[in-house]
Amino acid sequence: MLDFCSHRRTLLVAFFLCLTLFGSLLIQLPSLAPKTPRPETEVIDMNINGTNTTVLVWYWPFGEKSSVDGNVCWERFGIPNCKLVDDRSMFSVADFVVFHNRELIKGQQRLPVHLTRPQRQKWVWFSLESPANNGNVKPFAGHFNCTMSYRHDADIYTPYGSLVPQDFGTGLAVEDFITKKKTSLACWVVSNYEAHLKRTDVYNRLKTIIPVNVYGGAVNKRLDDKVLLPTISHCYFYLSFENSIFKDYITEKFWYNGFMGGAVPVVLGPPREQYEAVAPKDSFIHVDDFPSLEELGKFLKRLAEDKERYVSYFNWKVKYTVKQFADWREEFCKICPKVSSLQKHKVYEDLHTWEWQ
Ligand SMILES: *[C@@H]1O[C@H](CO)[C@@H](O)[C@H](O)[C@H]1NC(C)=O
Ligand SMILES: *[C@@H]1O[C@H](CO)[C@@H](O)[C@H](O)[C@H]1NC(C)=O
Ligand SMILES: *[C@@H]1O[C@H](CO)[C@@H](O)[C@H](O)[C@H]1NC(C)=O
C-alpha cells in the first residue's frame, strides 16, 4: 500500500515536473515552438487564451514612454490575455483607453470626444495624486467609465506599494534586516515645506520635542537616489508625513522611504485602520495614536532605547518584501484581469464628488 502510494506519487511528481518544464519551455522560449502555422489544437495558450483585452494608453503619464513591443503584460508582469498599446490608431479596437489626469487638467492633452466610441469601450481616469492635487475634474463629468487610483474603492486599484509574502528560508532573524548603527532618532526628507500643510505644523512642533534630521530640497540637503535609503537606514524613525490627508492616500513616503529605508514610519495621513488594511498594525506609529505631540516624542525616545521592543516593529521583514510601484505598464496591464469583475455599464457622472468623498 505504502509502496504503491509512493510509487504513484513519484509518477505523479514526474508527470507534473515534465508538464511544468515543457510548459515553461514553450512559454519562455517561443522559438522552440514549431514555426509553421498549425490548426488551433496547437494554441498553447497559457498566456493567450481566446480573447485579448486591448488597453490603449492615450499618452504616457509625464511623457514617460515605455516600450509596449511584444506581449509585455505577459512577458514582464505575468498578466495573461492582455494587449497593451500606445498607438492611437488602435482606438476603434481598444477595450480600454487610459487617460492620466495631470495632462488633462493642465490642458496638455484632451479627451478624444470627437471620435466615435465603440459600445464596449471603457475610458479609464487614472491618477495617483490626492484630490488636493488633482485640479478641477468637473469638466470630465460623464466621460469616464472606470477609475484607477490608489483608492481601494477605485475600479482598478493601483496602490503605491504593498507587502508581498516572501519565503526567506530559515536562519534569518529580524535583526538581520535592520541596520545596526542607528545615529539619528527621527529623519524627514522634504522637498518643500509649504507652510499651509498640516505636516509642516506637526513637524515644527515636533522638532521642539525631539531632534529631527531634515534632508531634501527644503533645507538644501538633497539626497540623491543612491544615498537616500542608506541615509534613512541610520534613523530609528522616519516621518512618513503625507502632503494631504485623504482616504487611502498612503504614498512612497511610507512604502519606500519608511519601509524600504529600514526606519519605523511615523505616519501622518489617513486614519490608522487604513494603514492596517495594507500593513501590520505593529509596523508603524501613527501620530493620532497619541493625545499630544509631547506624548509621541516621549514614546519615540523610550522606544529607541528599548531594543527588543523597537526591533519588534520589523517583524514583518522576515515574512514580506515591499513591492513598490515601479512601471506604468504594469499598472495598465492590471486592468485586464479586472475585466470580468467590472460593471458592464458604468459612467462617472460626477467624478468630482467621487474623488472628494
Ligand atoms: C483559458 O480559458 C479557459 C476557458 O474559459 C479557462 O478555463 C482557463 O483557465 C483559461 N486559461 C488561462 C491560462 O487563462
Ligand atoms: C493576443 O495577443 C498576443 C500578443 O500580442 C498575440 O500574439 C495573440 O495572437 C493574440 N491572440 C488573439 C486571440 O488575438
Ligand atoms: C462609458 O461612458 C460613456 C460616456 O458616458 C457611455 O456613453 C458609455 O455607454 C459607457 N460605456 C460603458 C461600457 O460603460
Side-chain angles (χ1 to χ4, degrees), residues 12-227:
L12 219 68
V13 167
F15 174 72
F16 278 115
L17 268 178
C18 285
L19 209 69
T20 322
L21 204 72
F22 185 55
S24 58
L25 277 179
L26 287 175
I27 292 163
Q28 282 157 21
L29 305 169
S31 58
L32 286 186
K35 291 222 169 55
T36 38
R38 291 208 277 145
E40 81 268 283
T41 45
E42 73 94 30
V43 175
I44 306 135
D45 49 6
M46 293 297 284
N47 56 336
I48 296 145
N49 199 357
T51 57
N52 275 337
T53 300
T54 301
V55 175
L56 169 59
V57 180
W58 197 244
Y59 48 86
W60 290 89
F62 308 102
E64 293 169 2
K65 183 176 163 54
S66 300
S67 163
V68 290
D69 293 347
N71 188 354
V72 262
C73 292
W74 176 252
E75 284 157 15
R76 288 190 163 253
F77 311 113
I79 297 173
N81 306 324
C82 192
K83 190 168 172 156
L84 186 62
V85 296
D86 63 356
D87 175 352
R88 290 187 180 184
S89 70
M90 303 283 281
F91 181 81
S92 62
V93 299
D95 300 288
F96 292 88
V97 186
V98 187
F99 303 92
H100 185 241
N101 179 68
R102 173 176 294 251
E103 290 76 11
L104 291 178
I105 55 158
K106 290 199 154 193
Q108 295 161 349
Q109 296 286 347
R110 279 173 214 283
L111 294 176
V113 287
H114 58 287
L115 298 179
T116 313
R117 235 200 264 199
Q119 278 254 305
R120 59 163 208 298
Q121 187 178 85
K122 290 181 154 88
W123 286 14
V124 182
W125 177 85
F126 173 45
S127 176
L128 290 178
E129 296 291 344
S130 81
N133 296 303
N134 268 337
N136 178 17
V137 300
K138 283 181 181 162
F140 312 128
H143 285 299
F144 288 101
N145 311 98
C146 300
T147 49
M148 179 166 166
S149 98
Y150 58 80
R151 254 177 51 190
H152 275 282
D153 60 353
D155 298 302
I156 297 123
Y157 173 53
T158 51
Y160 277 80
S162 58
L163 292 182
V164 186
Q166 173 94 25
D167 185 3
F168 290 103
T170 48
L172 278 176
V174 186
E175 284 84 352
D176 299 324
F177 291 91
I178 312 172
T179 303
K180 299 211 166 42
K181 206 167 174 299
K182 295 281 183 185
T183 47
S184 312
L185 186 65
C187 299
W188 190 32
V189 178
V190 59
S191 47
N192 190 340
Y193 277 128
E194 295 179 87
H196 65 283
L197 297 181
K198 178 171 175 190
R199 70 176 185 200
T200 310
D201 178 51
V202 172
Y203 161 72
N204 279 331
R205 289 189 291 138
L206 191 61
K207 75 173 182 200
T208 66
I209 303 161
I210 56 163
V212 180
N213 272 2
V214 183
Y215 303 91
V219 290
N220 239 332
K221 275 203 272 181
R222 259 174 250 278
L223 298 177
D224 71 39
D225 292 348
K226 275 205 292 292
V227 299

